[in-house]
């Protein structure tokens, strides 16, 4: 089977989170000489396929078969892939069945490797991700099968195929801040404590403020105000509290504790409460890691592009790999229509991605970059 034929087959599965619509079973049968393990939890299916060729490095390819709902605005049936002018249109075309097809076909064709190859797939990446990749990694740790290196085939390229590899991701900290006052009549402001007035002179010290200076891998962690509200939506009563929400996409240089210290300093003397939650934690793979060097070399050899190493964007399941001390990178097709109507990628990108993955695997055991 050609990689594009495999891609079209995967796109035809209506695998909306957390359903896999039999796509995992199809992949298991397609790679019938790989040992299969399922770890299922709370309706989520996770599949690990592995083959040990010899003693040596364990290289894993990872991704998800689930997709977001189609939504409105499609010109065609989102789950019946359509080829037009070199593009393939379907839900999941970029995010991320193109990547899955590319690495599944790669492992189908590889005949020798110095070590172990594997695939980790989940049906829960687009959802809460509570019972997906992280559950499988916990199982692999118990079985002493955690990979040394991993490629997550998320769509990473920005404007030209091959222009970006993700070597890390920022974390995400959510803040819930409430400033308390005393309700009163607007005509007698001296008899009330207006939390809006209290925060006004210090708002500039939190809104958009950079909490660190960043580094070679990460942009500065910035406090972004996302919501602010208080009062009774009338003009003659002052509010007795003001609720403010913010998000910090944090680098490895800023933690929850440092945010608490910053808020305490700015809000000293005010009556407030602060709650913080962490949706994901930052991680970064060293630039001289073998997987970074080998994949970068394959991209340049095949596309002629010297790819940049990026940590921009939101979260992905690569964050779980980082938490298990696995050297992980992300690389896939151009990201410009994910989760949108008429999501698409090109045949050329899928074929080239497959070629790059195959070249990376073929040269992974060699000493040169």
């Amino acid at each position: 089977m050609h990689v594009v034929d495999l891609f079209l087959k995967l796109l035809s599965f209506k695998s909306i989170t957390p359903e896999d619509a039999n796509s995992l079973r199809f992949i298991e049968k397609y790679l019938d000489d790989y040992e299969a393990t399922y770890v299922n939890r709370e309706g989520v299916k996770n599949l690990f396929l592995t083959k040990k060729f010899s003693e040596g490095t364990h290289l894993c390819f990872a991704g998800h078969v689930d997709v977001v709902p189609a939504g409105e605005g499609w010109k065609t049936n989102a789950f019946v892939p359509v080829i037009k002018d070199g593009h393939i249109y379907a839900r999941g075309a970029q995010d991320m069945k193109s990547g899955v097809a590319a690495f599944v076909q790669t492992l189908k064709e590889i005949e020798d490797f110095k070590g172990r190859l594997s695939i980790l797939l989940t049906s829960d990446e687009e959802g809460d991700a509570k019972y997906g990749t992280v559950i499988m990694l916990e199982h692999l740790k118990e079985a002493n099968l955690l990979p040394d290196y991993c490629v997550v085939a998320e769509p990473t390229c920005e404007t030209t195929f091959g222009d970006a590899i993700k070597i890390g991701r920022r974390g995400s900290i959510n803040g819930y801040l409430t400033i308390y006052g005393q309700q009163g009549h607007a005509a007698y402001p001296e008899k009330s404590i207006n939390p809006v007035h209290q925060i006004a002179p210090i708002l500039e010290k939190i809104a958009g403020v950079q909490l660190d200076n960043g580094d070679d891998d990460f942009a500065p962690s910035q406090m972004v105000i996302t919501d602010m509200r208080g009062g009774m939506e009338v003009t003659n009563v002052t509010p007795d509290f003001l609720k403010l929400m913010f998000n910090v996409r944090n680098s490895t240089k800023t933690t929850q504790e440092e945010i608490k210290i910053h808020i305490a300093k700015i809000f000293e003397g005010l009556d407030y409460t602060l709650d913080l939650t962490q949706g994901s934690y930052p991680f970064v793979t060293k630039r001289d890691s073998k997987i970074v060097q080998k994949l970068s070399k394959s991209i340049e050899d095949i596309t002629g592009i010297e790819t940049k190493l990026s940590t921009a964007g939101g979260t992905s399941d690569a964050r779980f790999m980082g938490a298990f001390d696995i050297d992980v990178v992300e690389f896939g097709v151009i990201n410009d229509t994910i989760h949108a109507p008429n999501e698409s990628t090109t045949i050329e990108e899928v074929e080239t991605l497959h070629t790059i993955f195959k070249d990376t695997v073929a040269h992974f055991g060699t000493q040169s970059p």
Side-chain angles (χ1 to χ4, degrees), residues 115-142:
R116 178 187 294 273
L117 292 174
S118 66
I119 287 176
L120 193 163
L121 289 168
T122 183
S123 63
D124 188 38
E125 197 272 350
E126 298 291 5
D128 294 334
K130 292 181 178 179
Y131 306 107
T133 297
V134 66
I135 296 295
M136 181 59 84
L137 289 171
E138 290 169 355
H139 171 80
L140 295 179
K141 183 177 181 179
E142 291 178 1

Side-chain angles (χ1 to χ4, degrees), residues 252-271:
T252 53
K253 301 177 75 173
T254 291
T255 65
Q256 289 190 47
E257 187 59 32
E258 287 161 329
I259 293 174
K260 290 179 182 178
I261 293 171
H262 179 76
I263 294 293
K265 180 180 178 181
I266 301 303
F267 284 75
E268 184 177 5
L270 299 184
D271 185 9

Side-chain angles (χ1 to χ4, degrees), residues 12-32:
S12 68
F13 291 114
K14 191 175 181 179
S15 50
I16 300 173
T17 308
E19 297 296 326
D20 78 319
N22 298 318
S23 55
L24 292 180
R25 189 68 65 184
F26 172 82
I27 292 170
E28 177 198 349
K29 292 180 179 179
Y30 190 63
L31 294 177
D32 56 1

Side-chain angles (χ1 to χ4, degrees), residues 60-72:
C60 177
F61 288 88
H64 61 93
V65 295
D66 60 316
V67 299
V68 298
E72 302 297 327

Side-chain angles (χ1 to χ4, degrees), residues 144-356:
N144 198 30
L145 278 173
L146 282 176
D148 302 301
Y149 304 95
C150 184
V151 178
V152 180
E154 290 280 2
T156 59
C157 298
E158 297 173 358
T159 58
T160 304
F161 178 74
D163 64 6
I165 294 175
K166 304 280 189 188
I167 61 168
R169 295 275 188 163
R170 299 172 294 175
S172 180
I173 299 174
N174 296 313
Y176 307 86
L177 181 64
T178 302
I179 303 97
Y180 297 97
Q182 181 177 315
Q183 184 176 303
H185 197 297
Y188 304 97
E190 69 279 3
K191 296 182 179 181
S192 63
I193 300 174
N194 191 328
V196 178
H197 290 185
Q198 288 185 311
I199 199 175
I202 60 175
L203 187 59
E204 65 178 11
K205 296 180 181 180
I206 60 171
V209 166
Q210 294 181 353
L211 300 170
D212 58 53
N213 295 321
D215 54 29
D216 290 342
D217 295 315
F218 292 98
S221 304
Q222 186 178 51
M223 186 175 292
V224 178
I225 306 297
T226 58
D227 191 83
M228 187 183 298
R229 63 188 65 201
M232 302 169 62
E233 296 190 47
V234 295
T235 59
N236 60 348
V237 181
T238 62
D240 60 349
F241 66 87
L242 177 69
K243 289 186 176 181
L244 184 148
M245 298 169 65
F246 63 86
N247 178 263
V248 179
R249 295 302 167 113
N250 65 306
S251 74
T252 53
K253 301 177 75 173
T254 291
T255 65
Q256 289 190 47
E257 187 59 32
E258 287 161 329
I259 293 174
K260 290 179 182 178
I261 293 171
H262 179 76
I263 294 293
K265 180 180 178 181
I266 301 303
F267 284 75
E268 184 177 5
L270 299 184
D271 185 9
Y272 76 91
T273 58
L274 173 66
D275 293 312
L276 297 175
T277 61
Q278 184 113 25
S280 61
Y281 290 85
F283 73 93
V284 64
T285 298
K286 292 181 179 180
R287 292 167 179 255
D288 61 357
S289 170
K290 183 177 181 179
I291 187 59
V292 176
Q293 295 297 309
K294 294 291 185 180
L295 182 57
S296 297
K297 182 68 163 52
S298 292
I299 293 170
E300 185 171 9
D301 287 348
I302 291 164
T303 68
I305 294 174
E306 185 176 349
T307 191
K308 74 175 182 180
L309 307 179
S310 170
T311 60
T315 61
S316 77
D317 275 2
R319 70 189 187 273
F320 300 125
M321 308 288 179
F324 281 80
D325 295 324
I326 300 166
D327 278 14
V328 59
V329 296
E330 299 171 65
F331 180 65
V333 299
I334 293 173
N335 175 346
D336 61 1
T337 61
I338 67 169
H339 295 200
N342 307 304
E343 180 181 352
S344 72
T345 190
T346 66
I347 292 175
E348 181 180 7
E349 286 178 64
V350 176
E351 291 178 334
T352 308
L353 182 62
H354 165 240
T355 302
I356 289 170

